[in-house]
Amino acid sequence: MPTRVAASGTRLRRTRRLHPAQVVVLGFAGAIAVGTLALMLPISSRSGRWTDVFDALFTATSAVCVTGLTAVDTPTHWSDVGLVVIMVLIQLGGLGIMISASLIGIAIARKLRVRSRLNAAAEAKAGGIGEVRGLARRILVISLLIEGVTFAFLFPRFVLGYDYAIGEAAWHALFHAVSSFNNAGFALYSDNLMGFAADPWICLPICGAIILGGLGFPVLMQLRREFRRPLRWSMNTRIVLWATPVLLLVGMLYITVLEWTNPDTLGAYDPLTRLLIGFFHSVQTRTAGFNSVDIGLMRDETWVGMDVLMLIGGGPAGTAGGIKVTTFAVLFFILVTELRGEGAVTIFGKRLSRAVHREAIAVVLIALAAVMAGTIALMVITGHPFDRVLFEAVSAFGTVGLSTGITYDLPAAAEVVLVLLMFLGRIGPLTLGTALALRTRRVLYEYPKERPAIG
């Protein structure tokens, strides 16, 4: 009898254990909750007063989900303490809550439990739990290295080009290095980076950090190990390195051509600066969210193209959001295969698993459903026109942070809608769907096949 009771108790404990995907969701939610409480405190605001709970929640979610949308003016509302809290939340969210927890566990206990390894592996999309300890350390080293190099470029420019004091230059360089690598888009200026639109010494290092962060940690680590052996690169690395420059070039050409004669954006600058601004904003659609011209003054057709680029996003298991370039590439190759009438989808000489087809379709459908639901909700709540509201919803879901200028004026209910979109966009539709599932169902039978008419 005692043996049966012990066995049943063991089974009960196992059923109560959370799926790693659920832990990731709860980890991000917990970080947002703590960040909200910290930002509400009077010490976090320049006025010395309590910050409204919705504004604090919105900012904390935007920081942890590395989005960059703001409900209040960042440099004038938040004190130095509040800005440090935001930067820490950005760093934690960019590294990943489970990876951050693993690093803390390694530092304190010098080891990780099996469940901690499972949770971190689920978030980082690692191949196995045995490599998580080294994985967490490598992710930290890569992050700090790229942020350090970005700091090294920005710091002397702030000192020599803008006469900042040493301490002020160091703070601005550090904050923007962290914000750029983590694709957060938070800036220490009320007009974001519009004051540096014509300065390549500020814009290009930030773009470099954004691109590297958007590649994803699996790609960065494989390049670190096998940069000179491309034949050993995984399909994931090949897709990301192929799609990223293509999307950057397409985005640059699209934005530059459409805004070339717009006197409120690119048209106010010389040709070389227009190219710089066009490239800069193409990079921002990788889910970074900085802006060097007023997005709200761009043409409607420019917004549409940026909506598409923001929804695609960057590489998986990194600091970028969106449906990810790998998902977009999988759908592209599925389309090409169908148009050719071929049976199996092949990418770079390798056959694609059928399960990946379903995952890609599921991610895109959930993303489109979330964006459309959020857009409708925002239109009902705010009454703003469709094009601006759609841009805001895509920017939130893609964790981009670009805005047409309506975010500051949104009511609390609209802020909650954007908070949900940012959270869903950062966690990932598939991860959130897995986390909400009570258990995996094994179906031991199949129904007869039938083919409906398509098209």
Side-chain angles (χ1 to χ4, degrees), residues 29-54:
I32 291 171
V34 172
T36 300
L37 292 175
L39 291 176
M40 285 177 61
L41 297 174
I43 195 175
S44 295
S45 68
R46 291 198 180 277
S47 65
R49 300 176 182 176
W50 289 86
T51 297
D52 178 77
V53 62
F54 290 105

Side-chain angles (χ1 to χ4, degrees), residues 115-419:
R115 293 301 298 179
S116 298
R117 294 183 183 184
L118 285 170
N119 298 334
E123 183 179 60
K125 292 179 170 54
I129 64 172
E131 61 186 49
V132 167
R133 183 188 178 107
L135 174 72
R137 286 175 171 168
R138 287 194 294 271
I139 287 176
L140 178 63
V141 170
I142 289 173
S143 300
L144 295 180
L145 177 63
I146 296 175
E147 289 170 358
V149 172
T150 308
F151 174 90
F153 277 102
L154 296 178
F155 173 71
R157 183 58 179 168
F158 283 131
V159 173
L160 302 176
Y162 298 93
D163 295 327
Y164 284 15
I166 298 296
E168 183 182 16
W171 166 239
H172 280 243
L174 176 63
F175 187 93
H176 292 99
V178 172
S179 185
S180 57
F181 172 72
N182 290 288
N183 281 219
F186 279 89
L188 296 178
Y189 310 96
S190 297
D191 61 356
N192 207 271
L193 297 181
M194 291 174 61
F196 307 101
D199 190 346
W201 297 100
I202 296 292
C203 293
L204 292 182
I206 287 177
C207 285
I210 291 167
I211 293 171
L212 290 174
L215 292 178
F217 290 117
V219 174
L220 291 176
M221 286 187 286
Q222 183 162 45
L223 290 178
R224 176 175 171 268
R225 295 192 310 267
E226 300 172 328
F227 181 77
R228 297 183 179 180
R229 291 177 286 184
L231 294 178
R232 296 189 180 184
W233 293 352
S234 66
M235 181 186 292
N236 179 77
T237 298
R238 290 169 181 262
I239 290 175
V240 172
L241 294 182
W242 166 79
T244 297
V246 170
L247 292 172
L248 286 174
L249 179 61
V250 169
M252 175 185 174
L253 293 175
Y254 185 88
I255 295 170
T256 304
V257 170
L258 290 181
E259 294 296 321
W260 188 268
T261 59
N262 186 346
D264 296 319
T265 55
L266 273 66
Y269 296 92
D270 62 84
L272 285 178
T273 302
R274 294 181 199 183
L275 293 175
L276 173 64
I277 296 173
F279 173 73
F280 183 82
H281 285 87
S282 177
V283 173
Q284 304 317 308
T285 60
R286 311 300 300 155
T287 77
F290 292 108
N291 64 280
S292 61
V293 295
D294 192 340
I295 302 296
L297 298 178
M298 286 183 168
R299 295 190 167 103
D300 295 353
E301 52 269 32
T302 306
W303 291 344
V304 174
M306 294 176 73
D307 286 340
V308 175
L309 293 170
M310 290 190 298
L311 187 62
I312 294 173
T319 62
I323 63 172
K324 305 299 188 292
V325 295
T326 45
T327 305
F328 174 75
V330 165
L331 293 180
F332 173 78
F333 283 107
I334 290 175
L335 174 61
V336 171
T337 301
E338 288 297 320
L339 293 177
R340 290 177 175 176
E342 299 173 353
V345 179
T346 57
I347 302 178
F348 301 123
K350 293 186 178 180
R351 184 168 55 88
L352 199 64
S353 168
R354 291 280 182 181
V356 178
H357 299 198
R358 297 193 298 269
E359 290 175 6
I361 293 171
V363 166
V364 172
L365 290 178
I366 293 174
L368 292 177
V371 169
M372 286 299 101
T375 300
I376 294 171
L378 290 173
M379 290 181 68
V380 171
I381 295 171
T382 66
H384 286 299
F386 173 75
D387 52 358
R388 290 181 179 269
V389 170
L390 175 64
F391 190 96
E392 219 76 12
V394 174
S395 180
F397 178 82
T399 68
V400 182
L402 294 174
S403 175
T404 59
I406 66 175
T407 310
Y408 286 161
D409 301 325
L410 294 180
E415 290 184 10
V416 172
V417 171
L418 290 180
V419 164

